[in-house]
Amino acid sequence: RLRRAGGAVSATVIVASWRDDEGKLWEPGRLVAVDFPSERLEQDLSISSVTFRQDHNGTIAELTLVDPRTQGGK
């Protein structure tokens, strides 16, 4: 039931670093505080997947974020 309830919330974001503010690599399962006023989304989301890229535009990480309940969290 929790997984179904959380399934409606997801987002994909691109960040300009492979690491967070603490210097840790982005990795699936970690919680990320999200505040997207235009989407009326303000909550902690869990990283479900990460794609790291480096090219002439720089280093980026594409994070797919989901409600933690979809991964068994609360």
Side-chain angles (χ1 to χ4, degrees), residues 49-70:
S49 68
V50 181
T51 302
F52 299 109
R53 290 196 309 251
Q54 189 171 32
D55 60 22
H56 65 279
N57 292 322
T59 301
I60 64 167
E62 183 175 327
L63 311 176
T64 302
L65 307 172
V66 296
D67 190 299
R69 295 176 291 180
T70 64

Side-chain angles (χ1 to χ4, degrees), residues 13-34 45-53 59-65:
V13 296
I14 296 175
V15 293
S17 176
W18 288 2
R19 298 179 183 275
D20 65 11
D21 291 339
E22 298 175 357
K24 296 179 183 176
L25 281 174
W26 298 109
E27 62 183 359
R30 291 198 30 221
L31 289 179
V32 176
V34 174
L45 295 178
S46 178
I47 299 173
S48 67
S49 68
V50 181
T51 302
F52 299 109
R53 290 196 309 251
T59 301
I60 64 167
E62 183 175 327
L63 311 176
T64 302
L65 307 172

